[in-house]
């Protein structure tokens, strides 16, 4: 493939930056057009019907009609619009349509049940919590054959805060919802009833703590799916009717015009952090249009502790100032603030960095919500740990800073036998491997055998058209190509020059006439079972890769097409 020219890269960057800026709102946040979610819609349909069948009939009927329209010809459903048929969304959609008791759904239910059986049923679901959830919804819908045995949830875990945080973490609210649903599904003996008399009030107090923290909006992390699970539990148990009414109100406000719901209703901070780092890397740090974005990020930093997960104030959520604080978005936002003019005198940046360092696990890694959690979906995560390293590095922390050295030491022990690294919240394995390579290379480990082996895996899995997919021969995506280019560039290895050039050429060729790149479903919602696209992240990653490519050429004085040599 002919090396891409500097002029072509420059045009792609300029057009891509303007396309991304067009997504900027007046408040500085960056918007997106997310696809409708089968899970969010099915959950809302089932929960609203259980909570207020007459008052919510319009929402239930509209959501059920959307589900029927979204059903594939094979009888199944995908997690979001455009995704292929999968077990989890098919099981949840079938159960929701049956629970909503619509006569119009009989054919859709029959076809869905047949497809679910053909897929192997819920026994094929690898995540134990998601498997139990699907079994429980199917059982509630009367489909006991499809559901199989139902395991009792130990609601009493809510009586032990430290254990509950480590084992449930961010799943606390939906866990409580599911456990409350079981009251009339699994009869309890005298001992169990005595335990529940203590556990149920404690569980409701946890929900109320979240409810109060979020300003009593009923949003439950602004995600229709867990909000629906909580509402189902409250409706069936009769607990906390005020919270139930608030969740109903929020779901009504969050419904889309076509009757469906999003996977996550608000990712303002996720998008805005990525947008800012992408534009900064592309050379737009001084653009006045980012002034409002910096103000938005400053204002969104959390000033209150999130007691349910024992997280102190100082970080950021993925949604807004009242959202749940997470290290992933916080690290990305800190990298953005570190790259903007005046970063050296930014007290929000300094305070945020101190918060991030304080969230490091005792083992040296970073988890998403809870330090030292035992929940696989929370952490410890090589990719999140790498983003934390990059945030500290971008803000000027030296390579021998204690938090960086501990994190690097942990990462160097986490490679899989083939040299790859995991990424809990984006598709494996190119994303995780590339982010780890970039982080370790930038803090002095570019020549370490672990990094060299991971970089070699990236080179070996590049596809013939110059792109990268997840590394298994699947078609390439803009996101994974951009991640791989960034990782290989960071190593400074001359042997990666051809792979980098081909990857950059592919990114330039993939840009549309309006400067936008096509988004792929690489963002994990339920790991291994449901992914969704995020157009702002796609745009930002491509800009960051092309920006770093140009910057490397400028530093080295290399000709275009030879930046890594």
């Amino acid at each position: 493939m002919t090396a891409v020219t500097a002029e072509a890269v420059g045009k792609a960057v300029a057009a891509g930056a303007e396309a991304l800026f067009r997504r900027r709102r007046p408040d500085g946040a960056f918007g997106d057009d997310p696809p409708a979610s089968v899970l969010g819609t099915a959950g809302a349909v089932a929960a609203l019907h259980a909570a207020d069948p007459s008052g919510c009939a319009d929402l239930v009927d509209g959501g059920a009609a959307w589900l029927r329209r979204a059903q594939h010809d094979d009888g199944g459903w995908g997690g979001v619009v455009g995704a292929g048929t999968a077990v989890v969304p098919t099981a949840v959609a079938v159960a929701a349509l049956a629970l909503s008791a619509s006569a119009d759904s009989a054919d859709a239910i029959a076809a869905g049940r047949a497809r679910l059986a053909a897929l192997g049923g819920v026994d094929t679901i690898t995540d134990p919590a998601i498997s139990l959830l699907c079994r429980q919804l199917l059982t509630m819908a009367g489909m006991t054959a499809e559901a199989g045995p139902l395991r009792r949830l130990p609601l009493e875990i809510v009586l032990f805060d430290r254990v509950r945080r480590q084992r449930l973490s961010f799943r606390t609210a939906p866990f409580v919802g599911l456990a409350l649903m079981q009251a009339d599904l699994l009869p309890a003996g005298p001992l169990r009833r005595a335990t529940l008399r203590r556990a149920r009030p404690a569980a409701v107090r946890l929900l109320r703590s979240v409810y109060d923290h979020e300003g009593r909006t009923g949003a439950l992390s602004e995600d229709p799916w867990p909000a629906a699970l909580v509402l189902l539990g409250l409706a069936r148990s009769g607990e906390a009717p005020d919270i139930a009414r608030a969740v109903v109100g929020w779901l009504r406000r969050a419904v889309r015009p076509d009757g469906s719901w999003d996977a996550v209703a608000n990712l303002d901070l996720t998008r805005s952090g990525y947008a800012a780092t992408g534009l900064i890397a592309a050379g737009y740090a001084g653009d006045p249009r980012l002034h409002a974005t910096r103000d938005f990020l400053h204002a969104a930093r959390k000033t209150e502790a999130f007691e349910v997960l024992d997280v102190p104030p100082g970080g950021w959520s993925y949604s807004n100032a009242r959202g749940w604080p997470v290290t992933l978005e916080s690290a990305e936002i800190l990298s953005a603030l570190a790259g903007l003019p005046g970063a050296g005198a930014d007290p929000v940046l300094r305070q945020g960095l101190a918060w991030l360092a304080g969230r490091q696990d005792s083992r040296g890694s970073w988890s998403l919500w809870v330090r030292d959690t035992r929940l696989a979906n929370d952490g410890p995560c090589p990719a999140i740990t790498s983003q934390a390293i990059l945030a500290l590095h971008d803000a000027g922390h030296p390579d021998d800073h204690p938090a960086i050295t501990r994190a690097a030491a942990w990462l160097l022990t986490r490679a899989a036998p083939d040299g790859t690294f995991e990424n809990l919240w984006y598709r494996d394995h190119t994303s995780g491997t590339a982010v780890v390579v970039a982080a370790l290379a930038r803090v002095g480990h570019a020549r370490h055998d672990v990094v060299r082996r991971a970089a070699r895996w990236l080179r070996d899995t590049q596809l013939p058209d110059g792109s990268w997919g997840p590394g298994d021969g699947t078609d390439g995506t803009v996101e994974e190509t951009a991640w791989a280019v960034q990782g290989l560039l960071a190593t400074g290895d001359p042997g990666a020059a051809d792979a980098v050039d081909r990857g950059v050429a592919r990114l330039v060729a993939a840009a549309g006439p309006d400067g936008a790149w096509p988004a792929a479903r690489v963002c994990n919602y339920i790991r291994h079972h449901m992914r969704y696209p995020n157009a702002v992240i796609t745009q930002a990653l491509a800009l960051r890769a092309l920006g770093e490519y140009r910057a490397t050429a400028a530093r080295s004085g290399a000709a275009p097409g030879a930046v890594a040599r």
Side-chain angles (χ1 to χ4, degrees), residues 13-202:
V13 167
E18 293 308 314
L20 185 51
F21 272 124
R22 286 195 292 272
R23 293 183 175 273
R24 188 184 67 89
R25 301 197 309 249
D27 66 354
F30 285 76
D32 194 5
D33 302 309
S37 164
V38 168
L39 288 187
T41 304
V45 164
L48 291 168
H49 179 75
D52 187 1
S54 59
C56 295
D58 59 329
L59 295 177
V60 172
D61 291 345
W66 183 88
L67 286 171
R68 293 193 296 269
R69 294 195 301 273
Q71 189 172 25
H72 297 164
D73 291 342
D74 63 8
W77 282 266
V80 295
V81 170
T85 293
V87 170
V88 172
T90 299
V92 171
V94 164
L97 289 175
L99 285 166
S100 68
S102 171
D104 295 334
S105 298
D107 290 344
I109 293 169
R113 295 178 78 169
R115 187 57 186 161
L116 182 60
L119 291 169
V122 294
D123 289 340
T124 63
I125 301 173
T126 56
D127 185 316
I130 303 301
S131 174
L132 184 144
L133 184 153
C134 291
R135 292 179 192 277
Q136 185 153 314
L137 291 177
L138 289 166
T139 299
M140 289 166 56
M143 301 178 189
T144 54
E146 286 89 347
L150 186 60
R151 177 172 60 87
R152 188 185 298 278
L153 288 171
L155 186 60
E156 58 271 17
I157 197 173
V158 302
L159 299 172
F160 308 95
D161 278 343
R162 188 169 182 273
V163 176
R164 186 260 309 161
R165 290 182 186 117
Q166 289 189 336
R167 293 186 180 274
L168 300 182
S169 182
F170 68 99
R171 288 180 170 175
T172 292
F175 170 88
V176 169
L178 287 168
L180 291 176
M181 288 180 220
Q182 290 189 343
D184 59 354
L185 288 178
L186 296 173
L191 180 60
R192 179 70 180 170
R193 288 197 298 271
T195 301
L196 289 176
R197 279 196 294 271
R198 291 186 58 215
R200 282 179 66 156

Side-chain angles (χ1 to χ4, degrees), residues 291-372:
H291 293 173
T293 300
R294 177 172 53 195
D295 293 343
F296 171 77
L297 296 176
H298 278 182
R301 190 173 70 94
K302 296 188 64 61
T303 57
E304 298 178 0
F306 187 46
E307 295 179 358
V308 171
L309 298 184
D310 193 28
V311 183
W316 283 263
S317 171
Y318 52 77
S319 56
N320 57 46
R322 288 190 175 274
W324 301 18
V326 290
T327 54
L328 177 60
E329 275 76 5
S330 295
E332 193 69 28
I333 288 167
L334 288 167
S335 285
L337 294 176
L340 292 170
D346 185 352
V348 173
L349 172 61
R350 291 197 306 273
Q351 294 158 10
L353 290 167
W355 177 88
L356 182 65
R359 300 305 298 161
Q360 189 171 24
D361 294 335
S362 59
R363 60 178 73 87
S365 58
W366 269 270
S367 300
L368 190 60
W369 273 285
V370 177
R371 293 184 70 248
D372 298 316

Side-chain angles (χ1 to χ4, degrees), residues 219-317:
L220 275 301
S221 75
E222 296 202 63
D223 188 336
W225 176 234
L229 295 178
V230 169
L231 179 58
L232 263 173
L234 295 178
R236 292 180 69 93
S237 67
E239 298 281 2
D242 59 323
I243 299 178
R245 286 192 298 271
V247 176
V248 168
W250 181 78
L251 287 172
R252 180 172 287 282
R253 295 190 298 276
V255 69
R256 295 161 61 109
D258 63 1
S260 66
W261 280 264
D262 295 338
V264 182
N266 184 355
L267 290 173
D268 278 358
L269 288 167
T270 305
R271 292 189 297 261
S272 300
Y274 271 97
T277 56
L279 289 164
I280 290 166
Y284 289 81
D287 193 295
R289 289 173 289 184
L290 286 179
H291 293 173
T293 300
R294 177 172 53 195
D295 293 343
F296 171 77
L297 296 176
H298 278 182
R301 190 173 70 94
K302 296 188 64 61
T303 57
E304 298 178 0
F306 187 46
E307 295 179 358
V308 171
L309 298 184
D310 193 28
V311 183
W316 283 263
S317 171

